[in-house]
């Protein structure tokens, strides 16, 4: 084989009409990307014909970015987001990034140890540092580096899941989040407060099949940063009156935000969480099932998103799944009696996204 038959990443990018970063992302995301023939001092090289054939067949599968949102805390939002991410990565073999935008950091510390989180937070490798860099852009050099901030192969099972990565949060975000909308007023007109997350993760998005975003319980600027890159969103809710009260407000506000930024951000569905076998939960579940909640009495209520068939029961095992120190080896061991529910929910999410190209 002559040297003319060999190509590196730059040549692949050139004849594929993409960036070198896109080729790097292909290698990470797609198992079927050709293996290099050898690795030279200058980097890996491939057989040109093999890679050209792959590129011809490749159709650029889109990345599905799903925000998990509820305005009320304690509804199992984080548990649902983490579980779907783990099932997507481990059982469905998708490449997944979980972005923790919630300053409570619950998703973060259920996927990595508090020791590792504290180390990353100290070194500026969390989402709080990303926003802090932008808030203080006029006064200090940026610290955040997206490649360094991603914790790879995270989870409490099997010493981590090979296809699951995490962009961790930090409680420091509590102090920063209220200052983010004021960036333009500070004289820094080069940074759009709603584009901060997008600008940071854009280079690495297409190495993942799914990005799951655990949003804070609000519709503020941090949540809107997540929605800005989302292709859809999911509303976890306990089937009671207070927890479901905000569904209309979420749908209404996301629709208005989507119009403002001229993007389609459809609701994928509502997932019932912490379900108990009592009269109230049964009644609210039925209302959710037939989409009767609306705006509680108004004639022209905004359509409620569909209810996923799989719901998450109130179970001790679900609470135990948040214990990062527990000796858990399988998803079944982690989620117990809720295993089938989360597995079914993940399959519904895939069906909703991949069959409808959301």
């Amino acid at each position: 084989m002559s040297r003319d038959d060999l190509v590196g990443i730059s040549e692949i990018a050139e004849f594929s009409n993409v960036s070198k970063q896109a080729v790097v992302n292909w290698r990470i995301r797609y198992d079927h990307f050709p293996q290099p023939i050898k690795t030279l001092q200058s980097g890996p090289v491939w057989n040109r014909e093999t890679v050209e054939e792959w590129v011809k067949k490749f159709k650029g599968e889109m990345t599905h970015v799903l925000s998990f949102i509820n305005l009320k805390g304690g509804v199992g939002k984080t548990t649902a987001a983490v579980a779907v991410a783990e099932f997507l990565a481990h059982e469905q073999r998708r490449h997944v990034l979980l972005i923790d935008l919630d300053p409570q950091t619950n998703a973060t510390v259920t996927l990595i140890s508090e020791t590792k989180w504290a180390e990353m937070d100290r070194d500026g490798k969390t989402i709080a540092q990303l926003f802090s860099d932008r808030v203080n852009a006029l006064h200090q050099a940026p610290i955040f580096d997206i490649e360094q901030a991603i914790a790879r192969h995270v989870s409490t099972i099997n010493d981590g899941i090979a296809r699951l990565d995490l962009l961790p949060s930090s409680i420091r975000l509590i102090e920063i989040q209220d200052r983010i909308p004021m960036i333009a007023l500070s004289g820094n007109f080069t940074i759009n407060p709603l584009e901060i997350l997008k600008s940071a993760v854009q280079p690495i998005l297409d190495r993942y099949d799914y990005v799951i975003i655990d949003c804070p319980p609000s519709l503020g600027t941090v949540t809107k940063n997540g929605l800005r890159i989302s292709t859809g969103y999911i509303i976890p809710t306990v089937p009671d009156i207070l927890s479901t009260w905000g569904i209309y407000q979420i749908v209404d506000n996301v629709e208005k935000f989507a119009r403002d930024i001229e993007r389609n951000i459809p609701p994928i569905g509502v997932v019932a969480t912490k379900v108990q076998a009592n009269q109230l939960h049964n009644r609210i579940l039925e209302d959710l099932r037939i989409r009767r909640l609306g705006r509680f009495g108004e004639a022209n209520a905004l359509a409620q998103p569909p209810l996923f068939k799989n719901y998450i029961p109130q179970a001790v095992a679900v609470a135990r799944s948040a214990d990062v120190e527990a000796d858990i080896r399988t998803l079944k061991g982690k989620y117990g009696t809720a295993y089938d529910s989360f597995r079914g929910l993940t399959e519904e999410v895939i069906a909703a996204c991949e069959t409808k190209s959301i």
Side-chain angles (χ1 to χ4, degrees):
M1 183 180 295
S2 70
R3 293 188 65 88
D4 291 339
D5 294 324
L6 298 177
V7 291
I9 288 176
S10 295
E11 290 85 1
I12 296 172
E14 185 176 352
F15 67 65
S16 302
N17 198 27
V18 298
S19 67
K20 288 190 290 185
Q21 181 65 58
V23 178
V24 171
N25 292 345
W26 288 348
R27 291 190 67 196
I28 295 172
R29 177 174 175 182
Y30 299 111
D31 294 340
H32 47 77
F33 189 86
Q35 293 297 312
I37 299 296
K38 60 178 73 174
T39 300
L40 306 177
Q41 198 168 20
S42 58
V45 292
W46 287 261
N47 176 275
R48 173 183 287 273
E49 186 178 348
T50 301
V51 179
E52 285 180 340
E53 183 67 24
W54 185 89
V55 171
K56 287 177 184 177
K57 293 179 180 178
F58 174 68
K59 294 185 178 179
E61 301 165 36
M62 71 176 291
T63 299
H64 304 284
V65 185
L66 304 178
S67 285
F68 281 62
I69 308 174
N70 196 306
L71 304 182
K72 186 178 183 298
V75 299
K77 169 182 61 66
T78 295
T79 299
V82 170
V84 168
E86 287 186 311
F87 276 82
L88 280 168
H90 189 60
E91 295 206 344
Q92 300 294 332
R93 299 183 62 78
R94 302 307 202 272
H95 290 274
V96 182
L97 172 66
L98 191 145
I99 299 177
D100 188 0
L101 287 184
D102 193 333
Q104 296 180 78
T105 73
N106 289 337
T108 295
V109 296
T110 59
L111 290 172
I112 61 175
S113 69
E114 290 194 33
T115 301
K116 182 172 182 178
W117 166 78
E119 179 183 328
M120 295 184 74
D121 194 33
R122 183 193 65 224
D123 295 340
K125 299 176 181 179
T126 71
I127 206 78
Q129 188 64 53
L130 168 64
F131 287 105
S132 178
D133 282 354
R134 300 306 187 271
V135 167
N136 299 302
L138 295 178
H139 310 291
Q140 65 183 42
I143 297 172
F144 184 84
D145 181 326
I146 186 65
E147 295 287 2
Q148 295 296 318
I150 294 176
R152 306 181 194 281
H153 308 163
V154 298
S155 180
T156 55
I157 71 165
N158 291 339
D159 298 320
I161 295 175
R163 296 167 185 265
L164 179 58
D165 294 345
L166 168 72
L167 180 53
S169 187
S170 168
I171 55 177
R172 293 191 296 117
L173 189 55
I174 296 174
E175 305 169 4
I176 301 166
Q177 58 187 356
D178 291 337
R179 298 167 58 196
I180 298 170
M182 309 300 290
I183 287 176
L185 296 179
S186 70
N188 190 351
F189 299 103
T190 62
I191 300 173
N192 183 336
L194 299 178
E195 300 274 336
I196 295 173
L197 180 64
K198 178 178 181 289
S199 64
V201 303
Q202 195 69 47
I204 55 93
L205 270 186
D206 63 359
R207 71 178 59 161
Y208 296 100
D209 299 299
Y210 283 85
V211 176
I212 304 297
I213 303 177
D214 186 30
C215 296
S218 74
L219 288 169
T221 305
V222 173
T223 295
K224 287 179 178 177
N225 264 264
L227 288 170
R228 178 66 183 85
I229 63 171
S230 293
T231 56
Y233 64 97
I234 291 172
I235 306 174
T237 183
V238 178
D240 61 29
I241 294 172
L242 291 178
S243 301
T244 57
W245 190 267
I247 290 177
Y248 172 85
Q249 188 177 358
I250 293 169
V251 175
D252 187 37
N253 277 271
V254 173
E255 188 174 273
K256 290 175 181 175
F257 177 67
R259 284 200 302 268
D260 288 344
I261 63 173
E262 299 181 332
R263 289 190 74 238
N264 183 34
I265 313 174
I268 308 302
V270 174
V271 54
T273 60
K274 299 187 175 183
V275 177
Q276 301 178 44
N278 61 44
Q279 186 176 358
L280 175 62
H281 280 204
N282 289 337
R283 178 170 64 81
I284 298 295
L285 276 173
E286 182 59 24
D287 288 343
L288 288 168
R289 199 169 288 121
I290 63 177
R291 308 191 196 187
R292 195 167 60 196
L293 287 177
R295 207 175 188 178
F296 293 96
E298 290 195 9
N300 297 315
L302 202 64
Q304 178 212 297
L307 177 70
F308 287 111
K309 293 178 182 178
N310 287 273
Y311 61 83
I312 312 308
Q314 177 74 56
V316 174
V318 173
R320 181 173 175 267
S321 70
D323 184 3
V324 76
E325 302 297 334
D327 185 18
I328 301 171
R329 298 298 174 184
T330 66
L331 288 178
K332 197 157 192 174
K334 181 170 185 174
Y335 292 103
T337 56
Y339 169 83
D340 288 334
S341 299
F342 281 123
R343 186 180 189 183
L345 172 63
T346 303
E347 290 171 352
E348 287 189 82
V349 170
I350 290 173
C353 292
E354 298 184 13
T355 60
K356 299 176 182 176
S357 299
I358 291 175

